[in-house]
Amino acid sequence: MGTFPGFLYRQFTFKPKPLPKSLNLSGKTALVTGGNAGLGFEAAKELTSHGLARIILGVRSIAKGEEAKKTLLAMNPQIDVQVWAIDQESFESIKNFADQAASLDRLDIAILNAGVKSMEYVKSKTGHELNVQVNHLGTALLSLLILGPLKKTAAETGSPSRLTIVSSENHFWVKLKEIKGPDTLATMDKPETFGKGMDRYNATKLLNVLWMRELSSKISASDVIMDAVNPGFCQSTLHRTDSSGSSFANLIGWTSAQGGHCLTDAATQHAKDGHGAYVSEQTVKR
Ligand SMILES: NC(=O)c1ccc[n+]([C@@H]2O[C@H](COP(=O)([O-])OP(=O)(O)OC[C@H]3O[C@@H](n4cnc5c(N)ncnc54)[C@H](OP(=O)(O)O)[C@@H]3O)[C@@H](O)[C@H]2O)c1
């Protein structure tokens, strides 16, 4: 895993599959952050076509979320589609979102997918570097805050809930030298540590995997099965500030729908060996 030739080989030879037709999610509630666009939206579409009772789209733009809701309802009018605001640049917004989640009667599946790829140093609203704030800190905080509702649902239904963090194969391509220093996050906030191109984005995808490993080691798989997923290199608006990345995605990228298949696979399959796992090409990997 993790070499560039290997990455190219997988992009050309692997074709992500949709969920098995037989999968029945009836009665369940799922939540997808960044559910209005790209892979998150495609994952939402797929989950709702398997009998889901309710889906929560976590979005930073309610207008975009409402557009996504219209499409989901046109496909499956019987589903309860809710659009909730979340800005992962704001700890307060994440906390408000989690408070709303705590009021649900059940939460079976959570896909923490919202993310950015900022190729230049940007200080976020919290003062942390933008990729670190949105991809790692925001996702990590939300994962902690929604454990309560996920565990409660598992206790009530007698089957584990699911928590999936969206990482990337790029996490292999980074030497996170900051991790050896005295204060990793404070160091990563300094513009001079930002690195080149996708270095920092890649580092946050490694933080996603490290966080998933640490948190999953503290949770029982009978309560919540937690994993991290590589959705493959896909065409989406993630590459909006990266013109060469965008052209490369047009050339060899999977579609957002195929990336979405990888998200839904990680969040609903691999119940036996998926806890604490990194799932890539819809398979649990080392
Ligand atoms: N595409 C790829 O090749 C690829 C490869 C590996 C991993 N991934 C990962 O897959 C995930 C989804 O990416 P994508 O390709 O679907 O990109 P995308 O189309 O740009 O979607 C990203 C989503 O995250 C939302 N978001 C961005 N900043 C946010 C914030 N501060 N608070 C809340 N939501 C925010 C976006 O909202 P707006 O629509 O309002 O911007 C959008 O809904 C990301 O975690 C990404 O790192 C993607």
Side-chain angles (χ1 to χ4, degrees):
M1 290 299 295
T3 63
F4 192 70
F7 157 75
L8 288 178
Y9 177 77
R10 284 183 284 284
Q11 282 296 127
F12 286 118
T13 58
F14 186 76
K15 190 166 182 293
K17 289 177 277 309
L19 290 170
K21 284 205 172 63
S22 57
L23 181 75
N24 182 358
L25 300 173
S26 61
K28 296 195 176 190
T29 294
L31 170 168
V32 184
T33 60
N36 61 287
L39 281 44
F41 178 50
E42 293 298 332
K45 279 202 257 178
E46 193 173 12
L47 291 175
T48 52
S49 57
H50 283 266
L52 201 68
R54 177 168 49 200
I55 189 146
I56 289 130
L57 304 177
V59 296
R60 65 175 167 172
S61 153
I62 292 290
K64 288 187 194 172
E66 290 295 338
E67 277 305 307
K69 174 176 174 174
K70 269 190 219 156
T71 308
L72 295 179
L73 285 177
M75 291 167 67
N76 291 290
Q78 76 287 1
I79 290 176
D80 177 9
V81 183
Q82 300 192 12
V83 179
W84 294 3
I86 182 167
D87 178 0
Q88 292 194 185
E89 272 197 68
S90 156
F91 293 124
E92 198 189 348
S93 169
I94 296 167
K95 202 172 164 301
N96 290 341
F97 182 86
D99 286 346
Q100 259 182 294
S103 70
L104 289 168
D105 58 349
R106 65 188 287 176
L107 178 60
D108 303 86
I109 299 169
I111 302 181
L112 305 194
N113 157 80
V116 287
K117 179 170 77 169
S118 180
M119 307 281 285
E120 288 184 2
Y121 184 93
V122 175
K123 193 179 260 205
S124 73
K125 291 178 203 162
T126 59
H128 295 293
E129 186 281 319
L130 185 67
N131 293 283
V132 172
Q133 173 61 42
V134 175
N135 300 351
H136 171 55
L137 293 174
T139 300
L141 176 61
L142 183 61
S143 68
L144 279 176
L145 295 177
I146 59 169
L147 275 182
L150 288 168
K151 283 184 182 171
K152 183 168 152 274
T153 304
E156 286 169 6
T157 60
S159 71
S161 302
R162 305 294 300 247
L163 174 58
T164 292
I165 288 184
V166 182
S167 177
S168 166
E169 176 157 359
N170 295 22
H171 86 272
F172 285 109
W173 305 347
V174 59
K175 288 191 175 59
L176 190 57
K177 359 182 230 317
E178 293 86 353
I179 215 147
K180 296 213 174 97
D183 185 337
T184 306
L185 291 172
T187 309
M188 292 179 94
D189 286 340
K190 294 184 184 152
E192 61 272 24
T193 67
F194 187 74
K196 289 200 190 96
M198 289 171 61
D199 286 359
R200 177 52 57 83
Y201 168 81
N202 295 347
T204 63
K205 293 289 135 180
L206 174 58
L207 290 171
N208 285 155
V209 174
L210 298 177
W211 175 259
M212 180 281 297
R213 281 195 192 165
E214 184 65 18
L215 186 58
S216 62
S217 73
K218 295 176 164 47
I219 310 168
S220 161
S222 55
D223 289 333
V224 181
I225 298 172
M226 180 181 187
D227 59 15
V229 63
N230 165 32
F233 182 47
C234 303
Q235 294 151 12
S236 79
T237 51
L238 187 74
H239 316 292
R240 66 189 99 177
T241 63
D242 174 11
S243 56
S244 53
S246 180
S247 310
F248 196 39
N250 288 337
L251 207 61
I252 71 157
W254 296 341
T255 63
S256 286
Q258 288 176 313
H261 295 334
C262 295
L263 268 51
T264 55
D265 168 83
T268 64
Q269 309 294 300
H270 315 292
K272 284 205 177 76
D273 57 350
H275 185 54
Y278 170 70
V279 183
S280 186
E281 302 96 65
Q282 301 182 320
T283 306
V284 168
K285 304 282 182 184
R286 280 178 60 228

